[in-house]
Amino acid sequence: MTPKQKDHLLEVLAERYADELHDAALVEAAAEGLPYEHLRKVLKRIAARERKHAEWLRAKIRERGGTPPLPPRLPAAPTWREVLEAFESEKADQVRYLEEAYGADDPELRELLTRIQHEEEENYRDLLDVVTRMESHAGGA
């Protein structure tokens, strides 16, 4: 791997790492303000997956000689609009992880990115469930 390729890979891993931390914090904040315990549990499960992904990515960044970026800042009180934007970004994340997995230079990294991609699919399904249930709760009120 050339130095330029290594720098690019570290940049991609750092972007994915920051995105995972951002989504985890956003979903955790949204869960705190949610009046429905069963939906809070789903959001907390999503946040736990996102934090796990960030840990895996941080380890890969360090393993390859990089320094993980600082966690991104969030607004003091994230809105449901921001949660919906995170929901939409989960679809794009799935595609990015798949593309990055196929372009990975080693089987271990490819396997990690593929595993995260599969879990992003779970996050998308879970967020879809939460959004749908929130709409039904709001519509029934």
Side-chain angles (χ1 to χ4, degrees), residues 16 87 89-100 113 116-125:
R16 299 285 80 225
F87 167 71
S89 78
E90 288 298 312
K91 290 189 286 188
D93 289 348
Q94 292 174 46
V95 173
R96 278 193 293 272
Y97 277 115
L98 196 56
E99 290 171 347
E100 292 158 0
L113 296 172
I116 293 173
Q117 185 269 332
H118 288 290
E119 290 189 10
E120 290 295 324
E121 288 177 16
E122 291 178 51
N123 287 349
Y124 179 79
R125 285 191 302 271

Side-chain angles (χ1 to χ4, degrees), residues 28-93:
E28 286 168 345
E32 293 304 316
L34 197 58
Y36 310 107
E37 178 63 29
H38 61 291
L39 298 180
R40 272 197 311 272
K41 286 181 182 178
V42 174
L43 291 179
K44 288 179 181 180
R45 183 173 60 235
I46 293 167
R49 272 190 220 122
E50 299 286 30
R51 290 215 178 270
K52 180 175 60 172
H53 298 165
E55 290 300 315
W56 291 340
L57 292 164
R58 182 174 59 189
K60 279 294 172 195
I61 291 167
R62 287 187 174 150
E63 179 182 300
R64 291 181 174 258
T67 302
L70 295 174
R73 290 189 174 188
L74 280 183
T79 66
W80 271 101
R81 181 170 187 230
E82 290 164 316
V83 174
L84 289 173
E85 288 170 1
F87 167 71
E88 286 300 317
S89 78
E90 288 298 312
K91 290 189 286 188
D93 289 348

Side-chain angles (χ1 to χ4, degrees), residues 9 60 64 97-118:
L9 177 60
K60 279 294 172 195
R64 291 181 174 258
Y97 277 115
L98 196 56
E99 290 171 347
E100 292 158 0
Y102 283 106
D105 65 329
D106 73 63
E108 187 179 304
L109 179 59
R110 186 175 308 118
E111 190 276 327
L112 172 64
L113 296 172
T114 302
R115 183 173 8 146
I116 293 173
Q117 185 269 332
H118 288 290

